[in-house]
Amino acid sequence: MVTSPARLLVVDDEENIRDLVATSLRYQGYEVATAADGRSALVRAETFRPDLIVLDVSLPDIDGFRVCDRLQGLGQAPPIIFLTARRTLEDKLTGLSSGDDYITKPFSLQELHARVRVVLRRTREAPDAPRRLRVGDLELDIDTCTVRRAGDQVTLTPTEFKLLRCLMEHAGQVLSKEQLLDLVWNYDFDGNAQVVETYVYYLRKKLDRTGPPLIHTVRGFGYALRAGS
């Protein structure tokens, strides 16, 4: 089944920021609508039905927090990432308790894109997505956070588990270091690709004790997890 592009609503009263964010998100493959104030955002949210809203707090009519409250009151609030110049701890706590993330201006477009992907991955995950992954004699149970190879339990750190889960969810595909940084470390990591090499090394040491290698290096491209050579 082909998944349709996520629909994003960008709300900001500053036209240059609104257009910059919307254009950059369209370039990432999303379907994007915009609004310049709170009332317009409420109307657009009802008609456009976004999967996620990037929402400024300091709007000229209704502030972003109240927009969020109204949407939740109507039972139609999608995930919300606040994008705002308001930096006080009180504002951040309010934003994080009301929405899904809080980014302060000035901001990096790359960071915004990464945070959007993180929230969408969490909220758009199919309810019937498999909870147990298997590649060859390797099995990963998402609910119990356990890994077994050829029936023997493999003890992993949380980061090793996340990396292995990512590779198994994309079994057979070649993932670059940059893709793995985004998928596993999200936007919290500083982007040093060396960490990927390090954790692939850790995983290989643990997984290869009981069978042939599963994580394969595709030189110049990245890594792929597959059974067999």
Side-chain angles (χ1 to χ4, degrees):
M1 182 177 66
V2 177
T3 303
S4 59
R7 299 159 68 88
L8 274 56
L9 175 60
V10 176
V11 185
D12 200 300
D13 63 323
E14 295 185 57
E15 183 178 4
N16 59 332
I17 293 180
R18 186 172 67 248
D19 290 346
L20 174 66
V21 171
T23 300
S24 72
L25 290 171
R26 289 189 185 104
Y27 187 76
Q28 296 293 310
Y30 302 113
E31 185 178 350
V32 182
T34 63
D37 56 50
R39 289 187 177 85
S40 298
L42 292 169
V43 173
R44 291 297 273 156
E46 183 175 0
T47 58
F48 184 63
R49 298 291 181 179
D51 298 298
L52 182 148
I53 300 177
V54 179
L55 180 62
D56 188 13
V57 175
S58 300
L59 297 171
D61 52 356
I62 307 171
D63 75 30
F65 295 145
R66 290 175 60 200
V67 170
C68 180
D69 289 343
R70 290 194 185 186
L71 288 172
Q72 290 173 343
L74 295 171
Q76 54 184 227
I80 290 176
I81 296 177
F82 290 105
L83 181 63
T84 177
R86 288 165 62 166
R87 294 171 165 270
T88 68
L89 178 59
E90 181 180 1
D91 284 331
K92 290 180 181 179
L93 293 175
T94 300
L96 290 171
S97 63
S98 302
D100 294 79
D101 209 338
Y102 194 96
I103 305 174
T104 56
K105 301 174 183 177
F107 62 97
S108 159
L109 284 174
Q110 287 182 317
E111 179 182 358
L112 174 62
H113 297 164
R115 296 196 186 204
V116 166
R117 287 192 293 269
V118 168
V119 173
L120 287 175
R121 274 201 302 270
R122 183 175 71 245
T123 57
R124 296 189 93 202
E125 184 177 89
D128 57 349
R131 306 302 296 172
R132 184 172 293 180
L133 306 174
R134 182 184 292 275
V135 177
D137 61 357
L138 180 67
E139 184 176 305
L140 181 148
D141 190 307
I142 294 171
D143 294 322
T144 61
C145 296
T146 56
V147 174
R148 293 183 180 277
R149 183 162 193 199
D152 295 330
Q153 185 162 337
V154 181
T155 302
L156 301 180
T157 67
T159 301
E160 291 166 351
F161 184 88
K162 286 178 66 178
L163 176 57
L164 180 61
R165 175 180 174 179
C166 178
L167 289 167
M168 293 183 73
E169 286 176 335
H170 298 82
Q173 300 178 35
V174 178
L175 298 177
S176 68
K177 294 176 185 177
E178 291 74 18
Q179 287 175 304
L180 289 169
L181 279 171
D182 176 37
L183 292 167
V184 178
W185 283 267
N186 302 327
Y187 54 85
D188 293 322
F189 194 72
D190 64 7
N192 183 355
Q194 179 66 41
V195 76
V196 178
E197 298 176 14
T198 301
Y199 275 91
V200 166
Y201 170 76
Y202 292 157
L203 271 181
R204 281 172 166 162
K205 283 190 65 176
K206 294 182 177 182
L207 296 177
D208 295 352
R209 291 172 182 165
T210 54
L214 292 172
I215 302 175
H216 303 272
T217 300
V218 182
R219 297 200 179 279
F221 293 94
Y223 302 99
L225 187 143
R226 56 178 179 265
S229 58

